[in-house]
Amino acid sequence: MSKTLRVFTAIAAAAAGLAVSGTAHAAVEYGAHFHGQEFSGGNWGGYVSFGSFTTATASWTEPAVSCTSTNDLFAPWVGIDGDGSSTVEQTGVETDCSSGRPVYSAWYEMYPAAPVYYSVSVSAGDHITATVTRTATNTYRLDLADTTKGWSKSTTKSLTSKHASAEAIIESPTDSYPSISGGIKFTGVKFNGTNLASTSPSGLNADDRGRYTWSPSAVGSDGQSFTMTRH
């Protein structure tokens, strides 16, 4: 695995919040895979494959959570770059417990720029599909769909990037996860249209402030699925 800078993901507290459906969002950055200095795990967990990928796609059912702290924050997402590079092109769904209850928001991010939130509804139990496609040397299309609610979003952005990796990930920029019923199962994971298992993936553990570790299961027999569980 490529070595990355061992610092926490920065939280841009001074930045203005973004409003979605009446909810204010702190400008919390997801982005590059940084390891915590205090903990054995990193702020990402899932699978990453190294190489110059042009597409990354995965689906999941948005999990029901119980907030244990107003600091709880996490997101499943799909992206290109980020492990071994300082940019990430990513899209997914955030669960934010800062209000004391879980608030679900769809977003994309061209890290190191701040995330952009869509004005759409997401609920626990919704089936989500996320795809990132490099359409030109430094141009990306980010597609996110909620097939339960029936909406889809597509955004095209440019970013000078390294083309270092592709991944399906859960991440908590605050290193604080809520309690997640049943874990998080990714399905249909493909990079460049190839099953995850055939892209030499590396598993990553996500640490939860030293209390728990979120780990990926072995890739399923279909070559396209895995589950993140806490232990």
Side-chain angles (χ1 to χ4, degrees):
M1 180 181 297
S2 298
K3 293 182 179 178
T4 54
L5 184 63
R6 293 182 174 272
V7 295
F8 287 121
T9 301
I11 299 178
L18 297 175
V20 177
S21 302
T23 301
H25 292 262
V28 177
E29 296 179 353
Y30 288 86
H33 179 209
F34 295 151
H35 288 282
Q37 294 174 319
E38 297 177 54
F39 314 124
S40 60
N43 59 350
W44 286 17
Y47 276 101
V48 58
S49 297
F50 296 100
S52 182
F53 293 97
T54 57
T55 63
T57 189
S59 298
W60 64 87
T61 297
E62 196 60 33
V65 312
S66 297
C67 296
T68 60
S69 164
T70 55
N71 200 44
D72 290 351
L73 175 73
F74 93 101
W77 57 263
V78 169
I80 295 177
D81 289 316
D83 202 325
S85 65
S86 59
T87 61
V88 197
E89 305 80 45
Q90 55 192 146
T91 188
V93 174
E94 170 190 282
T95 301
D96 181 358
C97 288
S98 60
S99 66
R101 63 180 181 86
V103 176
Y104 298 87
S105 302
W107 57 275
Y108 74 87
E109 184 174 3
M110 300 293 285
Y111 183 87
V116 176
Y117 296 91
Y118 293 117
S119 296
V120 293
S121 175
V122 186
S123 304
D126 287 3
H127 184 74
I128 306 295
T129 297
T131 303
V132 177
T133 305
R134 175 156 54 92
T135 59
T137 301
N138 290 308
T139 303
Y140 295 85
R141 190 179 72 242
L142 305 106
D143 296 301
L144 189 66
D146 183 328
T147 57
T148 304
K149 292 285 197 302
W151 58 256
S152 61
K153 294 291 183 179
S154 183
T155 301
T156 298
K157 294 287 182 179
S158 296
L159 180 66
T160 301
S161 52
K162 189 176 178 181
H163 312 154
S165 60
E167 50 274 327
I169 293 294
I170 66 169
E171 179 182 358
S172 175
T174 59
D175 291 283
S176 183
Y177 284 84
S179 175
I180 302 174
S181 177
I184 306 158
K185 183 175 182 180
F186 287 89
T187 60
V189 185
K190 293 184 177 183
F191 302 149
N192 280 6
T194 300
N195 288 352
L196 172 66
S198 300
T199 61
S200 301
S202 298
L204 300 173
N205 292 337
D207 194 274
D208 191 356
R209 291 195 176 272
R211 299 173 300 178
Y212 302 102
T213 299
W214 289 87
S215 298
S217 68
V219 178
S221 59
D222 61 1
Q224 304 176 11
S225 61
F226 67 94
T227 302
M228 296 296 299
T229 55
R230 190 179 75 172
H231 59 88

